[in-house]
Amino acid sequence: MNNCRRIDPETLKQVANLAAQYKGREDMLVEVLGQVQKIACNSVPEEVISVISKEMGIPKAKVYSVATFYAFFSVQKRGKYVIRMCKSAPCHIKGAQEVLAAMEKFLGIKVGETTYDGKFTLETCECLGICDRSPAIMINDEVFGPLKPEDIEDLISKFE
Amino acid sequence: MKVTINNQVIEVQEGMTILEAAQQIGIKLPTLCHHPDQDVKAHCRVCVVEVEGQRVLQPACSFRCFDGMVVHTNTERVRKARKMVLELILAHHNQDCLHCARNQSCELQTLAAHYGFNEENRFPLRVRGEGIDMSSPSIVRDPSKCIACGRCEWACSQYQAVHVLSRKHRGFETYFSTPFDMPFDESICVNCGQCVQACPTGALTIRDDTEEAWAAINDPKKVVVAQVAPAVRVNIAEALGEESGTISVGRLVTALKMLGVDYVFDTDFTADLTIMEEGTELIERLTNGGVLPMITSCSPAWVKFCETFYPEQLGHLSTAKSPQGMFGAIIKEWYSKKIGKTPQEMFSLSIMPCTAKKYEAKRPELGRNNYQDVDCVLTVQELAKMIKSANIDFGALPESEFDKPFGLGSGAGVIFGATGGVMEAALRTVYEIVTGKDLENIDFTMVRGLKGTREATIQVGDLPVKVCVTSGLANARKIMELIKEGKADYHFIEIMACPGGCIGGGGNAYRNWAKISARRKALYKIDAEKLPVRQSHKNPAIKEFYQDLGVKPGEGIAHKLFHTHYTDKSHVDI
């Protein structure tokens, strides 16, 4: 997966192949969306939803509805890496705000934005369930913590 | 099963909800997300009641009665909870009531009035969604007034199987919208207006074209010619506060004249014309091996549905225009010449039960050289508004007759307004033309009714003609799938987009099945009791008209004026 500025035709073809395996399987929609996000820039933008809808035979409005309901799906294009800062109480007490500010400063973006090169998207999320390691963040599927603001530069620089 | 509601013991049936049980003793609990025609949703919680033994308040719309249940619908706790629910809903509902199309017909406004909001809302106003979607010729969508009840989505998916409206986001951000908030006219919306009929607030309303109509009426250079669809005569009185199913055709003509319309004609006439053209086409297809089954093309939302979802099946559609389209062509191309006017000097106004007719009037096939055959379409709701604003007391009006020469329609044309009507009208004529014999009984009751899909086989001469009647696009979709699989051995199919036919159309007063049933009875009453001619081909005005044109149905100028073609619209994202 390259840095994500646009979805290329090759990716759309992969999405189509994946979705086609579950034709008519409305119950598999969440699973498909999850797998598609991994290959399509951490997001399910309009062109991707159209392909899923067509291949699975589910109305676009329904796919869109499910995709906007779950916080882990995004219909806005996101970066190659989605960084999620936990905003629940334990992390908050242990200094999540400072960690978040450090990330915003290092990446040069605010929460909800994506870096210009399409590499990182910064988000907040609900409890990650690792309060013993608070304040914690999650980068794609991996969790990190406890973090201090000064750890951020080294940590994020590891992601290519 | 015995249930106690507010100290009254009543006998209820198994499976009944508290809402239904309460209705039996004259308690009308408040509802917003619940619609009598739809499944239970229990989204809004405004109908909560206290059930003894239950820790929390329960929604009356979904909670089923059990034996010995004790319910209180009006305790302090219940009243407080309902008021809280309303306050929360109002806190994200754009409250420009005076400027809203649903002013005085809004269900939320009514409840707010009942519960008395004398003090300022405790919660700050924060509305969701951005911008009003005015792109559709039929429907206006204002997300700031959406209360996320889900009734539009239900109508769009369960009745119509169009699936253009769906729930978007969650929690506070939830509202109902098209995918990616795409404008209606770029979406797969078929303009049927069933979402408007379902919406309790002003989030989905009919596009208001009354100003355009007023401008034409007030323009001394324009000759305003109105056509009135069959279903309007049993709907307009209801929209003006009278009982459902009130027949008011004479008063309707008077009202239109008082508004300043120059000629008032009856779309019933072109309904008869449709039977002549479509009937001839059917006989032609039956005898010369044309594409069968042939499907009716009167319902513009159905036509758009077919073009969008089943473009490969367009050959099944009759090429006959809808009655509105035919009348438009007559007014602009034929009647204008009769009265010595140019088509541009004529203002062709149609009064319809239908929001999709607004879209149909704008189709390029139904116009030529920079003008359209129908200039403006007003729904029943809009006409009711014009009548009110013109200070006309509809109840006190005398009756008048339609203008000649297009004022005489048959009973067959009138029943076009109900599901099964076009089929029955066609059978009444086709049978007699094919066999050359008069029908003993012209009532084809087997195609009548409000059941979603009905089938019948009628012996016409040597041929057993197998017909099917369906209304509601979800039912139509099932028939189309059968056709696609080659399993539909029908000869002729009638499809109406709206459940119940035109009397259930998106432009009428707000629907439910009880009202539609009353409107349906009224239409068949007009057919059976009020009209001297009950078969299209026996209508003297129709015979005269074809003589004037100098052709037979389906030929020459009749083919040019009264037939159309369809376009593949499948490129639109589904």
Side-chain angles (χ1 to χ4, degrees):
Chain A
M1 188 163 70
N2 297 321
N3 289 356
C4 293
R5 267 176 295 197
R6 61 187 185 86
I7 308 271
D8 52 46
E10 186 50 42
T11 309
L12 283 181
K13 211 177 281 171
Q14 284 179 36
V15 171
N17 289 339
L18 181 68
Q21 292 170 33
Y22 300 101
K23 194 162 187 67
R25 292 286 304 276
E26 216 169 290
D27 55 322
M28 294 302 285
L29 182 55
V30 170
E31 177 65 29
V32 170
L33 285 169
Q35 289 188 33
V36 164
Q37 276 214 152
K38 293 212 166 92
I39 54 177
C41 293
N42 273 317
S43 63
V44 280
E46 186 162 4
E47 62 265 42
V48 171
I49 284 191
S50 289
V51 171
I52 295 175
S53 152
K54 196 167 154 247
E55 295 300 331
M56 291 183 78
I58 301 172
K60 194 172 162 181
K62 236 176 214 175
V63 180
Y64 173 73
S65 181
V66 171
T68 56
F69 182 85
Y70 291 101
F72 267 52
F73 298 143
S74 169
V75 294
Q76 309 295 335
K77 287 198 184 84
R78 292 193 287 200
K80 184 176 173 184
Y81 300 106
V82 178
I83 306 172
R84 296 180 174 94
M85 175 83 235
C86 173
K87 62 172 181 182
S88 295
C91 285
H92 181 81
I93 293 165
K94 297 283 287 289
Q97 284 307 312
E98 288 73 29
V99 174
L100 189 63
M103 287 195 287
E104 285 185 336
K105 193 174 169 219
F106 178 66
L107 294 168
I109 52 171
K110 299 260 169 241
V111 171
E113 291 176 352
T114 301
T115 52
Y116 179 72
D117 60 2
K119 204 163 162 191
F120 295 103
T121 298
L122 188 58
E123 290 182 357
T124 56
C125 67
E126 304 305 328
C127 184
L128 292 168
I130 47 159
C131 307
D132 58 318
R133 290 161 67 187
S134 59
I137 67 168
M138 189 156 120
I139 302 180
N140 283 358
D141 288 341
E142 222 179 323
V143 287
F144 301 92
L147 293 170
K148 289 190 286 295
E150 53 269 32
D151 300 337
I152 293 305
E153 197 172 329
D154 281 353
L155 176 64
I156 292 180
S157 300
K158 281 186 200 142
F159 289 86
E160 285 302 321
Chain B
M1 210 160 72
K2 278 193 170 52
V3 169
T4 311
I5 300 179
N6 299 353
N7 304 323
Q8 279 191 62
V9 182
I10 54 165
E11 189 68 39
V12 297
Q13 284 163 1
E14 189 89 36
M16 211 177 228
T17 62
I18 298 174
L19 185 74
E20 290 160 339
Q23 259 161 16
Q24 290 186 346
I25 52 166
I27 295 172
K28 200 171 160 242
L29 294 168
T31 52
L32 281 173
C33 71
H34 186 68
H35 189 285
D37 294 353
Q38 300 189 355
D39 291 337
V40 168
K41 299 175 208 65
H43 289 168
C44 76
R45 310 318 260 201
V46 81
C47 66
V48 285
V49 294
E50 218 172 320
V51 178
E52 280 186 17
Q54 297 281 325
R55 187 177 54 87
V56 293
L57 298 177
Q58 294 294 351
C61 66
S62 66
F63 203 87
R64 299 199 186 280
C65 295
F66 54 83
D67 195 31
M69 176 190 234
V70 181
V71 181
H72 302 283
T73 70
N74 199 25
T75 59
E76 185 57 27
R77 189 178 164 209
V78 166
R79 293 181 65 82
K80 255 184 150 165
R82 281 196 196 137
K83 207 163 168 171
M84 171 82 146
V85 166
L86 282 172
E87 250 182 310
L88 285 166
I89 292 174
L90 286 168
H92 54 228
H93 178 79
N94 181 6
Q95 287 158 45
D96 66 341
C97 296
L98 281 180
H99 307 281
C100 179
R102 289 299 294 271
N103 192 15
Q104 296 194 319
S105 71
C106 169
E107 293 177 30
L108 179 59
Q109 191 188 38
T110 308
L111 284 187
H114 290 177
Y115 281 82
F117 284 89
N118 308 324
E119 288 150 29
E120 208 177 315
N121 198 331
R122 287 175 292 165
F123 312 105
L125 182 69
R126 267 174 69 198
V127 296
R128 301 161 297 193
E130 275 170 29
I132 299 177
D133 177 8
M134 297 279 281
S135 66
S136 164
S138 311
I139 300 163
V140 178
R141 192 172 60 84
D142 181 352
S144 72
K145 289 175 186 159
C146 177
I147 59 167
C149 68
R151 278 158 53 164
C152 57
E153 184 196 31
W154 197 95
C156 192
S157 58
Q158 304 299 309
Y159 271 157
Q160 303 299 64
V162 172
H163 301 284
V164 65
L165 288 165
S166 69
R167 175 188 292 268
K168 176 186 166 160
H169 298 309
R170 73 170 160 180
F172 173 80
E173 300 295 330
T174 310
Y175 65 95
F176 284 77
S177 174
T178 54
F180 296 91
D181 279 332
M182 124 197 345
F184 262 140
D185 75 337
E186 288 168 28
S187 75
I188 50 170
C189 171
V190 298
N191 307 52
C192 69
Q194 287 303 316
C195 56
V196 175
Q197 287 284 321
C199 183
T201 69
L204 288 156
T205 51
I206 299 171
R207 187 190 175 94
D208 187 339
D209 289 320
T210 54
E211 286 307 319
E212 202 186 326
W214 281 123
I217 286 169
N218 293 326
D219 184 346
K221 287 194 269 325
K222 290 269 184 196
V223 179
V224 180
V225 184
Q227 56 164 315
V228 183
V232 178
R233 64 207 66 197
V234 295
N235 269 304
I236 185 70
E238 181 183 338
L240 286 158
E242 293 179 42
E243 254 179 64
S244 302
T246 306
I247 300 166
S248 59
V249 56
R251 285 188 283 154
L252 174 57
V253 178
T254 312
L256 283 167
K257 291 273 177 169
M258 286 168 79
L259 290 177
V261 172
D262 297 301
Y263 298 96
V264 183
F265 293 140
D266 194 350
T267 312
D268 194 356
F269 172 82
T270 40
D272 284 336
L273 206 59
T274 301
I275 289 303
M276 300 308 290
E277 294 294 329
E278 208 166 83
T280 309
E281 189 185 351
L282 177 63
I283 295 167
E284 166 77 20
R285 288 193 192 200
L286 286 172
T287 48
N288 294 339
V291 182
L292 289 173
M294 186 175 97
I295 312 177
T296 57
S297 58
C298 308
S299 171
W302 149 243
V303 170
K304 193 175 178 190
F305 183 85
C306 191
E307 290 177 323
T308 307
F309 297 96
Y310 295 95
E312 69 284 5
Q313 313 293 340
L314 283 171
H316 290 281
L317 284 186
S318 161
T319 60
K321 284 182 188 171
S322 72
Q324 164 175 281
M326 288 190 186
F327 224 129
I330 292 179
I331 291 169
K332 288 285 171 96
E333 297 302 297
W334 196 81
Y335 190 63
S336 60
K337 288 179 192 137
K338 286 266 159 186
I339 58 170
K341 298 277 173 190
T342 63
Q344 284 83 352
E345 286 173 304
M346 308 289 282
F347 187 82
S348 163
L349 174 69
S350 68
I351 315 294
M352 294 285 146
C354 179
T355 49
K357 289 283 175 195
K358 286 174 183 280
Y359 150 79
E360 186 192 62
K362 292 191 164 46
R363 285 182 71 109
E365 303 89 4
L366 302 188
R368 53 187 74 73
N369 308 336
N370 306 326
Y371 64 83
Q372 289 296 109
D373 287 345
V374 174
D375 292 300
C376 176
V377 178
L378 295 178
T379 58
V380 170
Q381 286 193 18
E382 290 162 273
L383 180 66
K385 202 170 118 183
M386 283 177 83
I387 290 174
K388 282 184 209 160
S389 80
N391 320 313
I392 296 169
D393 179 2
F394 194 72
L397 292 187
E399 308 216 331
S400 330
E401 301 259 315
F402 282 109
D403 285 309
K404 299 214 162 27
F406 307 120
L408 184 62
S410 75
V414 163
I415 57 172
F416 261 57
T419 168
V422 178
M423 179 58 69
E424 184 167 349
L427 291 172
R428 287 180 188 179
T429 290
V430 168
Y431 181 91
E432 297 199 353
I433 290 178
V434 171
T435 62
K437 282 186 263 180
D438 276 0
L439 276 165
E440 274 172 39
N441 179 8
I442 64 165
D443 291 328
F444 290 90
T445 46
M446 57 284 217
V447 296
R448 294 183 188 178
L450 291 175
K451 198 171 148 248
T453 304
R454 306 176 294 285
E455 296 176 347
T457 306
I458 289 107
Q459 194 68 32
V460 179
D462 303 330
L463 182 70
V465 176
K466 202 172 167 201
V467 301
C468 175
V469 173
T470 191
S471 69
L473 291 171
N475 294 324
R477 202 184 259 280
K478 287 178 201 148
I479 304 286
M480 293 314 286
E481 289 298 325
L482 284 181
I483 292 179
K484 220 170 157 179
E485 291 163 24
K487 287 184 190 157
D489 57 344
Y490 308 110
H491 296 99
F492 189 30
I493 304 174
E494 178 202 303
I495 296 181
M496 291 294 158
C498 292
C502 306
I503 44 175
N508 294 319
Y510 292 96
R511 64 170 278 150
N512 64 44
W513 280 115
K515 292 180 191 172
I516 290 171
S517 178
R519 298 170 192 167
R520 193 181 79 86
K521 282 194 189 109
L523 275 186
Y524 283 103
K525 191 177 173 194
I526 302 178
D527 169 42
E529 296 170 18
K530 308 250 171 183
L531 289 169
V533 185
R534 294 184 62 199
Q535 286 161 292
S536 302
H537 63 292
K538 289 188 176 160
N539 180 351
I542 287 287
K543 288 182 191 167
E544 216 171 288
F545 183 63
Y546 276 110
Q547 271 169 17
D548 266 9
L549 284 177
V551 291
K552 283 187 185 153
E555 292 175 359
I557 178 123
H559 194 272
K560 186 170 160 263
L561 288 182
F562 306 139
H563 288 259
T564 183
H565 57 273
Y566 308 105
T567 353
D568 181 340
K569 291 192 170 68
S570 59
H571 63 278
V572 183
D573 255 341
I574 293 167

